[in-house]
Structures are given as structure tokens and as C-alpha cells.
Amino acid sequence: MTLDFSKNNGLIPTIIQDNQSQQVLMLGYMNEEAFQKTQEEKIVTFFSRSKNRLWTKGETSGNFLKVVSIKEDCDQDALLIKVLPNGPTCHNGTTSCFDNEPQFSFLNELEKVIEERISNPSSDSYVASLFQKGLNKIAQKVGEEAVELVIEAKDDNADLFLNEAADLLFHYLVLLKAKGFNLENVEMILKDRMKNK
């Protein structure tokens, strides 16, 4: 990888993105030394313009950014680094410096569709009809789909297994909504557990 450090006083803008959720977490700057350190240690290190020194993200908070991949842009003067964050990225305690809400890409969009179908029910909406039947019916569907997934897991038909997995995940999202929760609530619990292990 050949980067052009001749612009911006030797600093390259670096976008940090969560490798799992695809959420953009922050923007920092790297000089050549910070870039080399990041490559060698596989932990993101920036050049801090305010401190005028190398700064490893998480050196104070412990919320390090473990490098998964590094890509340069077409002009070799900007970077995209995908990471596995160890806790919140923003100093304000939020997942991202840009937005408080985690991004689950398609699953996040699916949650919005489910919420829309519940808020504005129509006669041909499966989600609306299931939601109208109440919490017990929604929970029962999650149980049924879980059993069907377990049955398919014991066979060798990948297509059937993945379809049952999709059915379970879909109904699980409906159940979360029915209980007043979403994936963000579950994510925070998993992140807390990961920190304690």
C-alpha cells in the first residue's frame, strides 16, 4: 500500500467503520508513523492534532479499535479501516461519534419496516395481523420457528436450515418490538458481557 502523505501537513483522513454492523464510528488522522504503528500492532493509532503526538484510541478508556482491514481510496490520500471496537468509540460514551443509534444495515431497515407495519396496519400485512393476535401468539411463533430451526440443523439441507434461521430471526424481531425493545438493547447487553470476559 502506497499512501500519499504529501497533503494536509502529512496527515491522512482515516474513517473508522465497525466491521460487524458497518456503522461509521469516527474520523481521525494518521501520519506515516501512526499508520505504521497501526499496521504493526493491529490496533488503531492516530496522530492527535490537539495533543500533537501519536494517540492510540483507547489508551485511556480501554476502548481499543482492533484492525480487521485497511483500504486506501483511489487517490491514496484517505483510509477506510474496518475494526472490532472494544466498547463505545465516542468519548461521550456512544457507539459512534456521528450517531447514537447502532446500524445493523439490513436488519436495522427490517426493524423499521416491522415498526411501520405495526404503526400503520393494513389487511394484507402479516406483521400487522400477527401483532394484533397479541404477545402470546408472537412468542408462540418464535418458539415454533426455533424448534423448526433445530430440526433442520440436524439435517444436511443448507437451504432449508437458512430459511428457518431467517424465519426465526424475523419473528424474534417482531417479538422484540412487541416487548418494546430492539436490537440495540440486545447489542448493549452482549457488549457488556464481552467486556467482562
Side-chain angles (χ1 to χ4, degrees), residues 5-182:
F5 287 97
S6 65
K7 305 171 187 174
N8 300 318
N9 296 318
L11 299 178
I12 289 187
T14 303
I15 300 164
I16 304 298
Q17 184 178 26
D18 188 310
N19 188 61
Q20 294 175 328
S21 71
Q22 303 303 309
Q23 184 178 19
V24 173
L25 301 177
M26 67 175 292
L27 171 70
Y29 293 87
M30 287 187 180
N31 63 7
E32 199 161 357
E33 188 181 358
F35 177 67
Q36 293 299 329
K37 189 171 195 284
T38 297
Q39 280 192 308
E40 290 167 9
E41 298 181 359
K42 304 297 183 196
I43 299 291
V44 174
T45 293
F46 296 108
F47 179 82
S48 170
R49 295 171 297 166
S50 59
K51 299 171 184 170
N52 197 35
R53 66 169 176 85
L54 293 188
W55 166 62
T56 299
K57 177 72 178 90
E59 65 185 29
T60 304
S61 66
N63 297 333
F64 296 102
L65 300 170
K66 184 177 179 183
V67 175
V68 175
S69 66
I70 301 175
K71 292 185 180 177
E72 60 192 292
D73 76 342
C74 56
D75 294 320
Q76 291 84 41
D77 61 2
L79 289 170
L80 172 65
I81 301 182
K82 292 192 176 185
V83 302
L84 296 174
N86 182 34
T89 299
C90 185
H91 69 280
N92 290 325
T94 56
T95 301
S96 167
C97 294
F98 295 100
D99 194 343
N100 233 350
E101 297 179 21
Q103 301 297 315
F104 294 94
S105 58
F106 174 75
L107 291 180
N108 187 252
E109 291 303 312
L110 183 56
E111 280 189 316
K112 291 176 183 175
V113 170
I114 290 169
E115 185 172 351
E116 171 64 24
R117 301 277 163 84
I118 291 168
S119 301
N120 300 295
S122 64
S123 58
D124 60 346
S125 168
Y126 172 74
V127 172
S129 66
L130 181 60
F131 199 79
Q132 287 170 356
K133 291 174 184 173
L135 184 61
N136 286 346
K137 183 62 178 176
I138 298 169
Q140 179 185 338
K141 281 297 294 179
V142 171
E144 289 171 5
E145 298 300 343
V147 169
E148 289 173 12
L149 179 63
V150 169
I151 291 169
E152 291 303 332
K154 294 174 177 284
D155 291 333
D156 292 324
N157 189 319
D159 186 55
L160 289 176
F161 172 75
L162 289 174
N163 273 281
E164 292 300 341
D167 288 346
L168 175 59
L169 182 54
F170 174 79
H171 287 91
Y172 170 64
L173 292 176
V174 175
L175 180 60
L176 280 176
K177 179 62 185 172
K179 292 291 292 181
F181 301 112
N182 57 32

